[in-house]
Amino acid sequence: AQSVTQPDIHITVSEGASLELRCNYSYGATPYLFWYVQSPGQGLQLLLKYFSGDTLVQGIKGFEAEFKRSQSSFNLRKPSVHWSDAAEYFCAPDNGNQFYFGTGTSLTVIP
Amino acid sequence: GAVVSQHPSRVICKSGTSVKIECRSLDFQATTMFWYRQFPKQSLMLMATSNEGSKATYEQGVEKDKFLINHASLTLSTLTVTSAHPEDSSFYICSAPDSGANVLTFGAGSRLTVL
């Protein structure tokens, strides 16, 4: 069965620290891969996407993600977190027919 | 860029009544739209895929007769929660693929509260 896993339900980091949010998927073939962010009181926003080619993709707000086929992972990273990055982050593979969302990782940023 | 408008943003209704939520693609056509449900502090759960001119495809466990979906035009899909009950209170979000970009554009969501 197809599935997506975000192992970390909640992460707390200090402002300025680095961040990595994990995402693992289980699909028959490599899906398209997306990361979305949902800020408090706001809608969902696309951070970045991977379709093919270079496995390290750059997104908005200084985020990047690396696709690792051998690990079926698409982890989201940021070198230096800002307080405004506090939000809920969703990994969302697309198997070509439908988008499915991971359970989400809630990020708290402390001063 | 592509914009998806969702209305109403908030709705409160009495138990037993029906509520309709609209999802419109404002500057692009969407033959497919997706309806999600989000409980507090939980992930988005895909409820159904709305297909223009044909029946919606529902995810397992989603009651077709309770959550009626109509995709009557290339820019409008509606979700009607019939005979709503308090357990239907949730955040409902629609999205549509931006044609050619294979990227989802989301509506701002509709918060339903059933008293």
Side-chain angles (χ1 to χ4, degrees):
Chain A
Q2 299 168 338
S3 67
V4 53
T5 302
Q6 290 181 246
D8 305 305
I9 297 174
H10 186 238
I11 285 182
T12 299
V13 299
S14 298
E15 190 169 15
S18 63
L19 172 71
E20 182 170 29
L21 304 182
R22 295 182 290 168
C23 173
N24 294 94
Y25 64 90
S26 173
Y27 279 75
T30 300
Y32 298 147
L33 296 160
F34 303 79
W35 275 98
Y36 287 89
V37 59
Q38 186 177 33
S39 299
Q42 298 185 31
L44 284 154
Q45 183 181 23
L46 176 68
L47 277 178
L48 47 77
K49 60 185 183 289
Y50 171 77
F51 289 170
S52 65
D54 192 348
T55 55
L56 183 63
V57 293
Q58 302 297 321
I60 63 171
K61 304 183 180 183
F63 285 91
E64 65 177 27
E66 185 172 12
F67 168 60
K68 293 184 177 179
R69 185 189 304 276
S70 61
Q71 298 177 18
S72 295
S73 69
F74 189 56
N75 295 347
L76 181 71
R77 301 194 295 247
K78 185 168 184 177
S80 178
V81 171
H82 188 262
W83 63 267
S84 62
D85 294 325
E88 189 86 15
Y89 292 82
F90 295 98
C91 177
D94 168 21
N95 67 356
N97 293 316
Q98 292 166 325
F99 290 80
Y100 290 90
F101 283 79
T103 50
T105 298
S106 178
L107 174 65
T108 297
V109 180
I110 57 177
Chain B
V3 176
V4 171
S5 173
Q6 195 170 335
H7 178 80
S9 58
R10 297 178 186 272
V11 56
I12 301 173
C13 70
K14 293 182 178 180
S15 184
T17 61
S18 295
V19 174
K20 180 186 285 188
I21 300 170
E22 294 186 346
C23 181
R24 294 179 184 274
S25 56
L26 295 187
D27 49 2
F28 67 102
Q29 294 182 333
T31 57
T32 300
M33 291 187 177
F34 301 97
W35 286 96
Y36 295 85
R37 182 174 181 177
Q38 185 180 31
F39 291 102
K41 298 189 182 299
Q42 295 189 30
S43 182
L44 291 157
M45 300 298 297
L46 180 64
M47 298 175 63
T49 302
S50 172
N51 304 299
E52 187 270 334
S54 64
K55 293 182 179 180
T57 304
Y58 290 81
E59 293 299 296
Q60 190 172 7
V62 178
E63 299 176 59
K64 301 179 182 180
D65 295 332
K66 180 151 189 71
F67 299 99
L68 299 179
I69 291 174
N70 187 334
H71 196 147
S73 76
L74 288 172
T75 59
L76 175 64
S77 175
T78 60
L79 168 67
T80 301
V81 183
T82 63
S83 186
H85 289 91
E87 57 266 30
D88 298 324
S89 298
S90 189
F91 194 54
Y92 293 87
I93 303 174
C94 71
S95 69
D98 187 0
S99 58
N102 202 47
V103 171
L104 283 179
T105 299
F106 288 85
S110 299
R111 183 164 301 284
L112 170 64
T113 302
V114 183
L115 303 177

